[in-house]
Structure formats: structure tokens, C-alpha cells
Amino acid sequence: MSYISNFAAPFHGQRAAFNSADTQLKFPSLASIQSRPAIRIARPFFQNDTFSISRMAVGRSSRVGRQGRLRMALAYELVQGKLVRWSSMVVLDRSIPEPPTAVLLHGILGSRKNWGTFARRLAQEFPTWQFVLVDLRCHGDSASIKKRGPHTVASTALDVLKLIAQLRITPRVLIGHSFGGKVVLSMVEQAAKPLPRPVRVWVLDATPGKVRAGGDGDDHPAQLISSLRKLPMEVSSKRDIVNALVQEGFSKDVAQWVVTNLRPTAAAGTPSSSFSWVFDLEGISQMYQSYEETNLWEVVENLPRGVHVNFLKAERSLHRWALEDLQRIHAAEESAADEGGGVEMHVLEDAGHWVHADNPDGLFRILSFSFKGVKA
């Protein structure tokens, strides 16, 4: 299994051109670097706002020696199965086919790291596949990449479409959790039609329309964002933040998850007495408001041919799934189109809203059929 990281930064002098043709989910494949038992990306560095990347083979002394300078739409990681011999970073070579690719998106206040363990498990089970884990705008390492507003579901989806255009990949599977679930639906809405090949879309514990908060005992994202906005940008203790959020009424699990967004202010390898938040909370607040307001039922009920949307409801969901939502999904399911298009509903037992953490085995079993029988 190979593991490729990209931390993006602006590249002065490079024009960020992007037009409607770029939103297509079809791009020419590029040549691979020779696959090895394990490939890691050396820690990136920044110099004069220019991003330089190099690959280092782990377990062998030889360097896979290529460096590139590029301006990427978002920060991402690429997790590849051991049989994948392909990279978007090297010279065009059509003799090596592009491997089947899945794109995984996190929710509000999350990051690509939320999917790391699960993606590595998928890559081990399905060694011909590769998995792109993305930091959405205002989150994780993408927070340092300045984005113009408005910060919405639609603009977030366009960011991801730009990224896959830059990587020259054709995703076969799109997986989005919570806010990310609406983002993948918006990607389908914005992508040029017809799609070059069937695409499976997974919307994990999110509905296409109105967002309904859970009961009084549940954690509410809007309230969490409001509480975080009251906290200083730089703090001395993660434990103090956890205690403060618990006192505000949030669960300890959610509080501990939120502080994963804190990073030491000192340089790597030196002791640090303080931490700072990696996200852009003002932008995230706008994104969550858009998440509540965005209605994508028309996409679900009028799917392009070749798109199959799977909704997954957590048995102990943080959000309320209204009877109306379930009825509309089942109605769309019954009117599913032929040739791979359609809608399906799934329920993940013994799981709350954090499906990939609460019941990873169950989620793995449900998602696995999307990766079986697909060849490069």
C-alpha cells in the first residue's frame, strides 16, 4: 500500500484557470511511479510561497527522485493499494491505466485525517484501488489556502472538482460524511454531463434537504461553532479546552475530537507551550449555515444516467431523519433508472453520527460492494 500526501500552498505566477470543461469527472490518466511495498511522501516544505514535493521510497535506498511545483485547489492525501502503479505527478503515459479511485470527504470541523484509518483498511482489502482524502476549504491544511467567499456547499464542491481535475483522475466512488454528504451531491449536480462512466455516491448520515438537529441531549454543530468562536485563537492546554466544552454541555467525545484541530505553535521538533486552531472558524460558520439551507432533492430525484446514490442512516443518528425524508428517498429508490443509476437506502446499526468511528466494521461491510469487481 502506498501513501501519498500533498499539502498545498499558493504558487506565484501560476494562473488558476478553470472552466466548465474542467468540472468533468473524466481526465487523461498519467504515468505511474514504480509501485513499492510502501511509498511515502517526504515532509513538504515551503519556500517563497512555492510548494515543492518529493517522493521517498521507504524500505529501499533509492529515491524516486522527482520534484514538482504546483498550486493545488485543496490539501489532500492519496492512499493507494499495493497493486496501484500510477501517479498524477509524473509524465503522461497512457500505457498505464488509471486505477479506480474513490474520493472521501469529511464533515464540518473535521479533516481528511478522520478517514485515514478507514481508507488504509480499504486499500489493503482492495489493492487495485486508490483513495483521495481531502481537507475541505477552511479545514485542516486547506485552511491556509485562501478561498473567496461565499463559503457554501456549492463552492466547496467546486473546490473538489478542481482538485480532481488537477490530479487527472476519474472517481468511480464519492463518499461524504455529514456536510461532506451534501458536497458529493453538489459535485454530481455541477459535473458536466454525461458522466464518462458510472459513479457510486455515498451520503453518510445526511439528507438532501433541511437539516434537523437531534434531541436536547445531543451535540449541536451550530452551538459548537458558536462556543468555539468565544475561545481564544491560541491556547495553552488542550485539556482546558476539553473541560470548557464539557462544561458548555457538549459530550467529552466531541470535545476531544474538536481539539484534534489544535496544533503546536512552535516549529516541529521543538517544545511548545501553546496551541493554535488550524481551521477558519468564520468560514466554517458560513459553510454550516449553507449546509442547513442547501436543498439538493432535485439532484436525487432527477439523477443523471449512470449515477447511483446510496444514503446511509446511522441507527443512533445525531440528526433527526424525518419520516418525509425517508419517504422521499424510498420513492426515488422505486423510480431508479436503469444502467447503474438509482437510489438506495441503508441503515448502519449500533452507530451514532460518527459512523466510521462508531461502527467501522459495519460501515466497511456496507461500502465494500462498491469496490468489488471493478478493474482498472
Side-chain angles (χ1 to χ4, degrees):
M1 178 175 67
S2 59
Y3 190 65
I4 297 179
S5 304
N6 164 47
F7 298 83
F11 174 31
H12 293 311
Q14 179 174 346
R15 184 177 59 183
F18 185 76
N19 53 42
S20 58
D22 290 318
T23 62
Q24 297 187 42
L25 296 181
K26 182 178 181 180
F27 306 97
S29 59
L30 296 182
S32 74
I33 55 175
Q34 290 297 322
S35 183
R36 288 175 168 82
I39 297 178
R40 304 181 71 176
I41 290 300
R43 192 172 189 83
F45 62 90
F46 301 91
Q47 185 175 9
N48 298 325
D49 292 328
T50 299
F51 171 62
S52 182
I53 187 172
S54 64
R55 296 173 186 78
M56 179 70 75
V58 175
R60 299 192 181 190
S61 59
S62 60
R63 174 184 292 271
V64 186
R66 291 187 179 273
Q67 292 193 339
R69 300 183 184 275
L70 61 159
R71 181 182 185 275
M72 303 304 291
L74 296 167
Y76 70 94
E77 292 179 2
L78 181 61
V79 180
Q80 295 179 320
K82 65 181 181 180
L83 300 182
V84 175
R85 297 176 60 245
W86 181 91
S87 170
S88 64
M89 299 294 187
V90 291
V91 183
L92 180 65
D93 182 355
R94 297 181 185 275
S95 66
I96 300 177
E98 176 195 336
T101 303
V103 176
L104 288 76
L105 305 182
H106 61 80
I108 286 290
L109 293 172
S111 75
R112 69 182 191 273
K113 294 179 181 178
N114 298 156
W115 281 112
T117 299
F118 195 85
R120 288 190 288 273
R121 180 177 177 181
L122 285 171
Q124 289 173 346
E125 182 69 20
F126 304 103
T128 62
W129 279 76
Q130 63 181 8
F131 304 87
V132 182
L133 319 183
V134 180
D135 276 339
L136 300 177
R137 65 164 57 201
C138 302
H139 292 75
D141 290 300
S142 291
S144 63
I145 305 172
K146 300 304 179 184
K147 296 289 185 181
R148 293 181 179 179
H151 300 296
T152 63
V153 169
S155 63
T156 305
L158 185 58
D159 291 342
V160 183
L161 288 170
K162 289 181 180 181
L163 176 65
I164 64 177
Q166 291 173 322
L167 295 177
R168 301 176 182 270
I169 56 176
T170 308
R172 309 279 187 96
V173 176
L174 304 174
I175 301 173
H177 174 241
S178 195
F179 176 86
K182 276 194 176 179
V183 173
V184 294
L185 288 176
S186 184
M187 289 173 65
V188 171
E189 181 182 45
Q190 296 184 56
K193 312 297 185 302
L195 300 181
R197 59 181 57 151
V199 175
R200 283 196 172 271
V201 178
W202 285 90
V203 181
L204 305 182
D205 212 36
T207 60
K210 182 178 179 180
V211 175
R212 298 173 175 85
D216 293 337
D218 294 325
D219 295 300
H220 296 264
Q223 294 177 8
L224 179 58
I225 293 170
S226 178
S227 295
L228 290 173
R229 294 175 78 173
K230 300 174 186 176
L231 298 175
M233 284 299 297
E234 189 169 313
V235 301
S236 59
S237 168
K238 291 185 178 183
R239 181 178 299 177
D240 289 347
I241 298 300
V242 170
N243 293 337
L245 291 174
V246 170
Q247 289 177 2
E248 289 270 344
F250 299 101
S251 69
K252 188 173 182 179
D253 286 343
V254 166
Q256 290 175 330
W257 165 72
V258 167
V259 298
T260 62
N261 287 291
L262 285 170
R263 292 188 183 170
T265 54
T270 60
S272 175
S273 59
S274 62
F275 302 85
S276 61
W277 298 101
V278 296
F279 46 50
D280 173 0
L281 206 51
E282 293 300 319
I284 288 174
S285 180
Q286 295 178 37
M287 293 167 73
Y288 187 75
Q289 183 178 356
S290 172
Y291 173 59
E292 288 188 320
E293 297 172 351
T294 298
N295 189 322
L296 293 166
W297 275 112
E298 185 174 349
V299 178
V300 176
E301 294 171 340
N302 297 277
L303 285 175
R305 187 173 297 275
V307 176
H308 194 112
V309 175
N310 298 268
F311 289 94
L312 183 140
K313 176 186 179 299
E315 186 179 34
R316 305 191 308 273
S317 178
L318 180 68
H319 304 291
R320 289 174 178 164
W321 286 66
L323 179 61
E324 175 190 354
D325 294 332
L326 298 174
Q327 289 174 336
R328 289 185 76 170
I329 290 173
H330 285 305
E333 189 174 6
E334 292 176 1
S335 60
D338 295 331
E339 299 184 24
V343 178
E344 286 187 54
M345 182 75 195
H346 310 262
V347 176
L348 180 61
E349 298 179 350
D350 193 27
H353 183 61
W354 312 105
V355 290
H356 39 318
D358 291 345
N359 187 0
D361 291 340
L363 182 63
F364 187 86
R365 286 192 296 270
I366 292 174
L367 293 181
S368 287
F369 79 87
S370 290
F371 307 106
K372 294 177 179 177
V374 177
K375 298 181 179 179

